[in-house]
Amino acid sequence: EDQVTQSPEALRLQEGESSSLNCSYTVSGLRGLFWYRQDPGKGPEFLFTLYSAGEEKEKERLKATLTKKESFLHITAPKPEDSATYLCAVQARGYQKVTFGIGTKLQVIP
Amino acid sequence: DGGITQSPKYLFRKEGQNVTLSCEQNLNHDAMYWYRQDPGQGLRLIYYSQIVNDFQKGDIAEGYSVSREKKESFPLTVTSAQKNPTAFYLCASSIERGDTQYFGPGTRLTVL
């Protein structure tokens, strides 16, 4: 069974304090790993799709990386508006179900 | 603007009632999905549809029903058979099944 574990469950950062969120996964052949941002009471907003180990993608202060066992979402010099829950999800090859993690709730304090 | 809309944003249901949640997309996507989100749990798949007039059960389909009569629309009915329906419901779509999914704003259903 595919599994996604995100850590930490919650993270509190000072504005400008860079850090990383972790997504560990087990899947029988990775087709894709997805990162989403979710604000309270809203639907998840798509950030990145990663397909193979070594791949990296960036968007503003966010950078996602992928290894064979985990993905990191690096946040550089975060701002209060980066506060949200970040969801990770994986999809196995041939079996197109997407398995979601519970998320990491990030709070950035001014 | 292309996107996914869900209505209503908030919905209250009395026990024993069926309610229908609306999901519309103008992205020209073939695949559509319904998920349920509960505190402390990852999103769980209720139903998905790869094409018009076809849909499949997900992991937690009991107590729910769907239809897909138009490409743009994928309504979800929460029936009285669903024992614990209070949750945040999310609709998503993708170009095809297996592609990146894009989500709507969600509907929060509360059973009174």
Side-chain angles (χ1 to χ4, degrees):
Chain A
E1 185 180 330
D2 302 340
Q3 288 191 333
V4 176
T5 303
Q6 293 189 245
S7 60
E9 291 185 8
L11 181 61
R12 197 175 184 194
L13 299 174
Q14 292 289 331
E15 184 173 1
E17 180 187 1
S18 302
S19 188
S20 296
L21 312 182
N22 177 263
C23 172
S24 298
Y25 64 90
T26 55
V27 65
S28 53
L30 181 71
R31 184 178 188 274
L33 183 141
F34 310 93
W35 281 101
Y36 292 87
R37 169 195 169 123
Q38 186 174 24
D39 292 302
K42 297 188 177 181
E45 174 190 346
F46 170 71
L47 294 174
F48 306 108
T49 303
L50 302 168
Y51 294 103
S52 57
E55 189 175 0
E56 299 182 351
K57 289 192 176 175
E58 289 188 63
K59 179 181 180 180
E60 296 180 354
R61 294 176 293 283
L62 300 176
K63 180 180 178 180
T65 62
L66 181 64
T67 72
K68 289 187 177 180
K69 294 184 178 180
E70 56 192 355
S71 176
F72 292 94
L73 185 65
H74 306 278
I75 303 176
T76 302
K79 299 181 177 181
E81 53 262 41
D82 294 323
S83 297
T85 295
Y86 291 85
L87 303 177
C88 174
V90 297
Q91 185 177 52
R93 284 196 204 100
Y95 179 55
Q96 297 164 333
K97 174 186 172 182
V98 177
T99 301
F100 285 83
I102 296 172
T104 293
K105 185 174 182 179
L106 174 66
Q107 183 183 15
V108 182
I109 303 163
Chain B
D1 264 352
I4 304 173
T5 57
Q6 292 185 242
S7 61
K9 186 173 181 179
Y10 299 99
L11 186 57
F12 298 91
R13 188 194 97 170
K14 293 182 180 179
E15 287 194 13
Q17 283 184 333
N18 293 354
V19 292
T20 298
L21 284 59
S22 169
C23 177
E24 303 275 334
Q25 55 97 0
N26 62 2
L27 299 168
N28 200 33
H29 286 174
D30 282 324
M32 297 187 74
Y33 314 80
W34 275 105
Y35 289 91
R36 170 179 172 142
Q37 187 173 37
D38 295 281
Q41 297 193 46
L43 274 67
R44 292 182 290 167
L45 183 65
I46 304 173
Y47 268 97
Y48 67 92
S49 168
Q50 299 187 76
I51 198 168
V52 174
N53 293 321
D54 179 69
F55 49 83
Q56 304 295 328
K57 293 181 179 180
D59 298 322
I60 55 165
E62 185 175 351
Y64 300 98
S65 66
V66 293
S67 62
R68 185 89 186 274
E69 297 176 1
K70 298 187 299 181
K71 187 175 184 177
E72 301 80 17
S73 178
F74 191 41
L76 173 74
T77 297
V78 184
T79 75
S80 57
Q82 170 49 237
K83 298 305 177 189
N84 186 23
T86 294
F88 190 49
Y89 290 87
L90 289 160
C91 178
S93 70
S94 62
I95 295 173
E96 294 180 347
R97 177 144 160 82
D99 291 329
T100 299
Q101 296 180 24
Y102 297 87
F103 286 84
T107 292
R108 184 163 298 281
L109 172 64
T110 303
V111 173
L112 302 174

